[in-house]
Amino acid sequence: MPEEPTHRAALLVMGCPKVPVQTSLVLYLAHRMKKAGIRTIIAGTPSARQLIRVADPDEHYTMEMKDLDATIAALANGDLPITESYVFIHNDAGISYAATIASLTHRPVTAIIFGEEAEQISHEITFPCTVIAEPAIHNPIPIKIKLEEAAPWDA
């Protein structure tokens, strides 16, 4: 069982950055978490991390960024204590990441599902998690509104 974190530590997981809204939503959630004093770790594919680095070069919104595969290994080894995860999903691989993280951490997972097939993908989730789904591709506002309603930074 992973070590218990002493403070809130949120993991934000990004897969392939094919759908444009992912980058802005990750930055928005990281900003809100950071502002609330929550340690925020962004894990993603190399290209997803590069988009975040370019969008936030002075790290105003980001705290830590890690390779996605290395992060999963650290979670499996119990070397990365987290209190919650937010997995950005637009395809089956995203569902696999969310299921893996839920299984490894036994902590709350929120699946943030976007893209043209968001509703269909949301029905493929068969493990316990909170689901926020919206068929957003270019406009992040509908998911941003749902995140604000959930307000995970206030929990």
Side-chain angles (χ1 to χ4, degrees), residues 65-152:
M65 272 204 294
K66 298 182 181 294
D67 175 76
L68 182 53
D69 293 331
T71 299
I72 290 172
L75 292 170
N77 293 332
D79 296 333
L80 183 61
I82 61 165
T83 56
E84 62 216 78
S85 298
Y86 301 84
V87 183
F88 291 81
I89 300 170
H90 75 281
N91 59 23
D92 291 341
I95 294 172
S96 295
Y97 285 129
T100 299
I101 290 167
S103 175
L104 292 174
T105 65
H106 305 287
R107 302 278 183 234
V109 172
T110 299
I112 302 167
I113 305 171
F114 52 92
E116 290 177 348
E117 300 173 8
E119 186 173 334
Q120 177 186 347
I121 290 171
S122 69
H123 295 299
E124 295 175 23
I125 293 181
T126 59
F127 54 92
C129 71
T130 300
V131 174
I132 295 174
E134 187 69 38
I137 298 168
H138 298 288
N139 180 3
I141 299 303
I143 297 176
K144 177 184 176 273
I145 290 168
K146 288 183 176 186
L147 283 171
E148 288 172 349
E149 290 169 356

Side-chain angles (χ1 to χ4, degrees), residues 7-9 31-40 63 153:
H7 299 288
R8 281 182 69 186
H31 162 71
R32 293 301 301 256
M33 295 283 192
K34 183 177 182 178
K35 193 173 176 180
I38 301 165
R39 176 182 174 209
T40 306
M63 295 174 121
W153 45 84

